[in-house]
Amino acid sequence: MSAPSKLVTEHAALCEQIAAHDEAYYQRDAPTISDAEYDALLRRLFDIEAAHPELASETSPTQRVAGAPLGQLESVAHRKPMLSLANTYSREEVVDWFDSTRDFLAADDAALAFRIEPKLDGVAIELVYEHGRFVRAITRGDGKVGDDVTHNARTIRGVPRTLHTESPPALLEVRGEVVMRHASFATVNARREAAGEPLFVNPRNLASGTLKLLDPREAARRPLDFLGYGLGVTDGFEAEGHTQAMEQLEAWGLPTTAEWGLTGDLEAVLAHYDALLSGRDDLPFDVDGSVIKVNDHALQKRLGERSRSPRWAIAFKFPARSATSMLREIQVQVGRTGALTPRAVIEPVHVGGVTIEHVTLHNGDEIARLGVKPGDRVFVERAGDVIPKIVGLAEDGGGPPFVMPTACPVCATPVVDDEDEVVLRCPNRACPAVLQRRLEHFVSRNALDVDGLGTKVLALLVEQGLLTSLADLFALEAEQLAELPRMGEISARNAIEALQASRTRNFARFLFALGIRHVGQHVAEVIAGRWPDLAALRGVSTEDLEDVAEIGPTVAASLSAWLADDDEQRMVDRMFELGVAPQALAPPAEDDGAGVLAGLNVLFTGALQTLSRREAQELTKAHGGKLLSGVSKNLDLLVVGEKPGSKLKKAQELGIEVLEEAAFLERLGEAPR
Ligand code: IVH
C-alpha cells in the first residue's frame, strides 16, 4: 500500500526539519529545540516509516539509525590498544605526578601546558571514519578487542555519518565516551517503570546496556551522547597537541569534552578539579573526576606509556558516590512500632567519604524490587548527606531468594501484615525488641532527654526484668542501677536525677516520647498547643482531632486508637502515679502584639551557654516569636552564643539586630539561668 499523500508530505517535512536541527546542533552548536522535542520528531518519522517502509530512503535521517536486530555482537580488534588512565583520589599524588612530569621534561626546558578535562563517567568507545565516512564503532572491551556496536552508534546524535569537510583524512579513529544525560536517564527509567520492567541503576549502566543492544531500534529510543577525548590511529591527519586535535574534531562535527582548560599552573589544575567537584550536580551527565593530560603530542611521546596507561595523563577522581560490595547477610530488625525492617550487612565499602557496612532495605517489597539476596554483589550509593542505599544488583551470587520471616525474629510471635502498608509487624506489645526501641526513643534527646540511660543500660534493665514498660522507668531506684555492671553510684544517681527532671518536660515532648504511631515532633506540638494535658485529650473524638489544621485522618485515627487502648492508658496513668507531670505549653501568643517577640523572626547561632537550643526555641515561640533557619532580610533578631561564625557576619552586613544570650533573656523578662 502506498502512503497517502498527506503522510508523504509530512514525511518530507520531517526529514527537512530534522536535518536542519541536526545542522544547528552539530555544526553551529546552537540547537533551537530541546532533546525531547527532537526525539519526538525522530520518533514520529520512525513510526511513519514503519508503516510505509518505502519512504525510508537513503536520505532519511532515520537511516543513521536504521538496521535490523543482530544475532550477536562481533568482536573486533583495535588497531592500537585503548589504554586506561592511572588514577588517584589524592591531591598529593596529583602534585607528585605534576612535579615529576615537569622534572622529566625539563631537559628540554619546554613550556609545558596541561590540558584539563572532565572525566566522563560513561562507556569508552572508538569511532572509525574512512575517507570521512563513519564505518565502525567498537567498545573498548579489554583494550585490545571490543564489540562492534556500529548499529547502535548510528543512533547517537553526536556521531556524524560523515565528517564535515571536503578533504577528510583517509583514516580517523576517534576515541571518546558514550554518556547518557540525567534527563534522558530519568525518561528511560520512567518508561521502564510504567512497563513494569527492571530499572537501570545509573546512567553509565544504561549507556553500556544500550550500546550492547542487538536491536538498534530500541537503542534509538534511549538517547545517548558521544564526546570525544582522544585519537586512535590516523592517516592523513596529525595535530601538534591534544587541544589542537580536539578543535579539529569539533570542526569536523564531532563533539568533544566541554569544561576544559589549558594551563601550566598546578594551582589552576587543582582549581579545575575543585570547581568540577562542586558543580558536578549541575552538569548534564555524570562526571567522576578530572583528567590531566600533557597537551603536546611530542612530549606525550617522550613520556611514553606503561603497559596499561600512558605516563602523560592522570585521572584525579572524585570521592566515589557509588560502589559495589558483597551483600553478606540480610538481618531483620524490630522497630518500636513492631515494624520488621530488613537491613543489609555488606562488606565495608568507602562511598561518598564514609565507610558503609549497613544499609536499610526498608521492607520485603523493596528487596523484591531490587532483586537482591545474600551472596550477590550489589550497587551501593550515597550522595552528599543522603543515607546510603542499595540501588541494584551488580552480580548474581546464585543464592536462594530472601524471604521475610513469618514470625518475629526476637519473640517468635507470628507477624501481621499491615493491610494499607507494605510493612510486617510483630503484634506482641511485650516483645523485648519493641520495648527496647520504645525505651530508647522515650529517653532520646528530642523526647524526654534523659541522660545516663544509654542503649546498653536499657538493654540490661530489660533483660533483668526491671523494665517491662515505659512507666517502670519512673519506679527505678538508684540502688538498682548502681548494681548494674559498669554503673557506679555516681552514674546511677545522675540517671535518677535525669529521670526526675524528665518528669516535668512539656506535654508536647511527652506525647512525642510515647512513640504513638504517626505522632512525630511537629504533630505532638500541634496537639499540645491545642490541649493542655492528657486529661483534656482523652475527651476528644477523632473528628475533633481532624478539625485541627495540620492533623490528617491517619494521625487522628492513630491517636484515637492509642487513646482507646486500655493497656497504654493504664501504663500512662501509672507514670502519673509515679510523679510524671507534663507541663502545659505556654498558650500561643496572640497576633495582637502579646508577647515581646510577637511578629519577630528569630534565629540562634553559636554555642549558647545557659539555654539548650531547644529551650531557646521554645521560649521564642512562647513569647510570640517565629524561628528562621537562616539569615535573610526577613530576620529580625539574631541571638548569638559563643563562636557565632558566618551567620553573625551576614546579619551584621544586613543590619539585623544582634543580641547576646543574657540580653535576650532579659528582653523576655526571664531570669538569667
Ligand atoms: S583519556 C590513554 N579523557 O576514563 C588515555 N579518558 O580510566 C585514554 N574517560 O577508558 C583516556 N573521560 O573511558 C580520557 N576526558 C577523558 C575521559 C576519559 C572519561 C574514561 C575513558 C577511559 C577511562 C580511563
Side-chain angles (χ1 to χ4, degrees):
M1 190 184 75
S2 74
S5 65
K6 225 171 102 197
L7 269 189
V8 176
T9 318
E10 186 187 350
H11 180 269
L14 275 170
C15 288
E16 215 168 284
Q17 255 178 307
I18 293 171
H21 288 310
D22 279 345
E23 211 235 358
Y25 184 89
Y26 298 125
Q27 263 143 292
R28 285 183 278 121
D29 199 14
T32 51
I33 54 170
S34 71
D35 283 5
E37 287 165 323
Y38 175 90
D39 292 335
L41 293 178
L42 197 59
R43 218 166 303 130
R44 173 73 187 142
L45 195 64
F46 263 111
D47 289 346
I48 296 177
E49 292 181 2
H52 303 282
E54 75 280 5
L55 292 179
S57 68
E58 263 272 287
T59 55
S60 167
T62 60
Q63 291 312 292
R64 50 186 191 88
V65 165
L70 302 181
Q72 63 174 71
L73 299 181
E74 250 175 68
S75 298
V76 185
H78 296 287
R79 287 187 178 89
K80 181 172 153 188
M82 283 182 81
L83 300 181
S84 76
L85 288 170
N87 68 52
T88 178
Y89 292 91
S90 139
R91 202 168 275 258
E92 289 73 48
E93 281 181 30
V94 173
V95 175
D96 286 350
W97 175 84
F98 189 91
D99 287 345
S100 60
T101 305
R102 207 170 33 189
D103 289 351
F104 180 87
L105 294 171
D108 250 357
D109 205 8
L112 188 50
F114 291 88
R115 160 100 171 184
I116 37 193
E117 296 174 347
K119 184 169 189 316
L120 305 162
D121 193 8
V123 183
I125 197 175
E126 174 172 84
L127 308 176
V128 185
Y129 285 86
E130 288 174 5
H131 301 287
R133 280 190 52 239
F134 170 60
V135 294
R136 198 169 306 111
I138 315 164
T139 61
R140 175 169 182 272
D142 64 3
K144 295 196 177 82
V145 178
D147 290 323
D148 184 335
V149 292
T150 314
H151 58 300
N152 293 329
R154 282 191 208 284
T155 71
I156 301 176
R157 288 176 70 180
V159 178
R161 301 199 76 195
T162 52
L163 297 181
H164 304 163
T165 170
E166 298 288 311
S167 48
L171 175 66
L172 177 75
E173 290 183 350
V174 183
R175 291 167 176 187
E177 203 84 347
V178 170
V179 292
M180 178 163 283
R181 285 166 189 266
H182 295 142
S184 310
F185 175 72
T187 312
V188 172
N189 258 355
R191 201 164 61 214
R192 289 177 75 85
E193 189 163 27
E197 292 163 346
L199 302 187
F200 286 100
V201 177
N202 54 41
R204 175 166 30 86
N205 277 50
L206 177 45
S208 154
T210 303
L211 272 183
K212 295 198 172 153
L213 285 169
L214 296 174
D215 185 352
R217 286 168 301 197
E218 175 56 23
R221 287 164 52 81
R222 304 183 189 173
L224 295 169
D225 276 273
F226 169 82
L227 295 163
Y229 56 59
L231 295 175
V233 179
T234 58
D235 178 5
F237 170 58
E238 247 170 88
E240 195 187 317
H242 185 56
T243 298
Q244 292 77 2
M246 294 302 106
E247 277 166 2
Q248 183 58 72
L249 293 185
E250 288 275 350
W252 282 333
L254 283 153
T256 61
T257 55
E259 320 279 339
W260 61 274
L262 192 64
T263 179
D265 178 21
L266 174 63
E267 290 310 315
V269 169
L270 299 175
H272 178 260
Y273 171 90
D274 292 336
L276 268 183
L277 178 58
S278 58
R280 71 194 292 198
D281 290 329
D282 301 325
L283 294 172
F285 24 70
D286 283 349
V287 166
D288 59 351
S290 67
V291 183
I292 309 156
K293 305 173 176 175
V294 170
N295 191 62
D296 188 281
H297 281 159
L299 297 180
Q300 286 186 2
K301 213 164 174 181
R302 277 188 49 205
L303 283 156
E305 291 159 0
R306 301 176 206 86
S307 63
R308 296 191 48 227
S309 59
R311 282 198 194 83
W312 46 263
I314 191 168
F316 184 11
K317 301 225 339 179
F318 296 155
R321 287 171 156 185
S322 156
T324 66
S325 175
M326 173 67 75
L327 203 176
R328 284 182 176 154
E329 184 192 352
I330 297 179
Q331 296 173 338
V332 177
Q333 297 182 309
V334 186
R336 82 184 137 87
T337 60
L340 264 52
T341 310
R343 163 175 107 144
V345 183
I346 59 171
E347 242 158 52
V349 274
H350 204 66
V351 186
V354 296
T355 304
I356 297 171
E357 208 171 343
H358 298 117
V359 189
T360 179
L361 287 164
H362 303 290
N363 53 58
D365 282 11
E366 173 75 355
I367 300 179
R369 185 184 76 76
L370 292 167
V372 297
K373 52 199 181 316
D376 290 348
R377 273 203 94 70
V378 294
F379 284 102
V380 186
E381 246 179 44
R382 182 179 173 279
D385 298 336
V386 179
I387 46 170
K389 55 183 180 184
I390 289 182
V391 291
L393 177 69
E395 203 181 314
D396 196 322
F402 175 81
V403 217
M404 284 292 280
T406 51
C408 171
V410 177
C411 69
T413 307
V415 297
V416 292
D417 206 338
D418 248 328
E419 256 177 61
D420 52 340
E421 296 181 55
V422 280
V423 192
L424 298 178
R425 272 177 215 284
C426 168
N428 175 15
R429 313 165 164 255
C431 173
V434 174
L435 178 60
Q436 169 80 25
R437 296 282 111 74
R438 279 194 80 176
L439 286 162
E440 286 167 12
H441 172 72
F442 194 73
V443 303
S444 67
R445 178 167 272 237
N446 289 334
L448 289 200
D449 191 15
V450 188
D451 264 355
L453 288 180
T455 308
K456 288 202 181 113
V457 175
L458 291 174
L460 279 171
L461 291 167
V462 171
E463 204 180 288
Q464 302 195 353
L466 288 169
L467 293 179
T468 59
S469 79
L470 300 183
D472 287 347
L473 279 171
F474 299 103
L476 286 175
E477 286 171 16
E479 296 73 43
Q480 293 172 316
L481 286 174
E483 277 168 25
L484 296 178
R486 283 189 295 280
M487 183 88 162
E489 254 173 52
I490 297 178
S491 326
R493 221 173 319 120
N494 287 345
I496 293 294
E497 269 172 30
L499 275 167
Q500 179 55 28
S502 78
R503 281 175 163 86
T504 50
R505 299 264 187 260
N506 70 37
F507 183 45
R509 288 175 68 169
F510 178 71
L511 265 183
F512 171 62
L514 289 169
I516 303 164
R517 268 175 78 192
H518 305 296
V519 179
Q521 238 171 311
H522 178 66
V523 167
E525 276 174 19
V526 171
I527 296 169
R530 179 73 202 273
W531 292 281
D533 52 30
L534 194 60
L537 193 59
R538 278 175 173 159
V540 308
S541 67
T542 314
E543 291 71 36
D544 293 336
L545 287 169
E546 279 189 47
D547 279 347
V548 179
E550 299 192 78
I551 297 189
T554 317
V555 175
S558 165
L559 188 55
S560 290
W562 182 82
L563 289 165
D565 184 327
D566 288 342
D567 290 342
E568 286 289 294
Q569 299 314 308
R570 260 198 301 276
M571 188 272 291
V572 180
D573 283 337
R574 184 149 170 264
M575 285 190 192
F576 296 156
E577 281 159 24
L578 290 165
V580 174
Q583 300 298 294
L585 287 192
E590 302 293 331
D591 282 345
D592 60 6
V596 273
L597 299 177
L600 297 185
N601 291 323
V602 183
L603 174 67
F604 295 88
T605 189
L608 301 180
Q609 296 306 296
T610 58
L611 294 170
S612 73
R613 245 335 138 81
R614 184 165 246 282
E615 284 167 337
Q617 292 171 345
E618 278 170 7
L619 265 178
T620 305
K621 285 195 247 171
H623 285 85
K626 281 211 191 108
L627 292 158
L628 288 196
S629 56
V631 179
S632 69
K633 61 179 184 344
N634 294 330
L635 185 66
D636 299 298
L637 182 59
L638 182 74
V639 182
V640 294
E642 284 189 3
K643 302 217 178 97
S646 66
K647 286 193 178 134
L648 173 60
K649 200 162 159 257
K650 196 163 168 206
Q652 284 167 337
E653 279 164 16
L654 290 171
I656 286 161
E657 185 184 3
V658 177
L659 278 186
E660 285 185 357
E661 193 178 344
F664 172 70
L665 283 170
E666 203 172 307
R667 163 103 45 114
L668 301 189
E670 297 274 336
R673 305 180 178 209

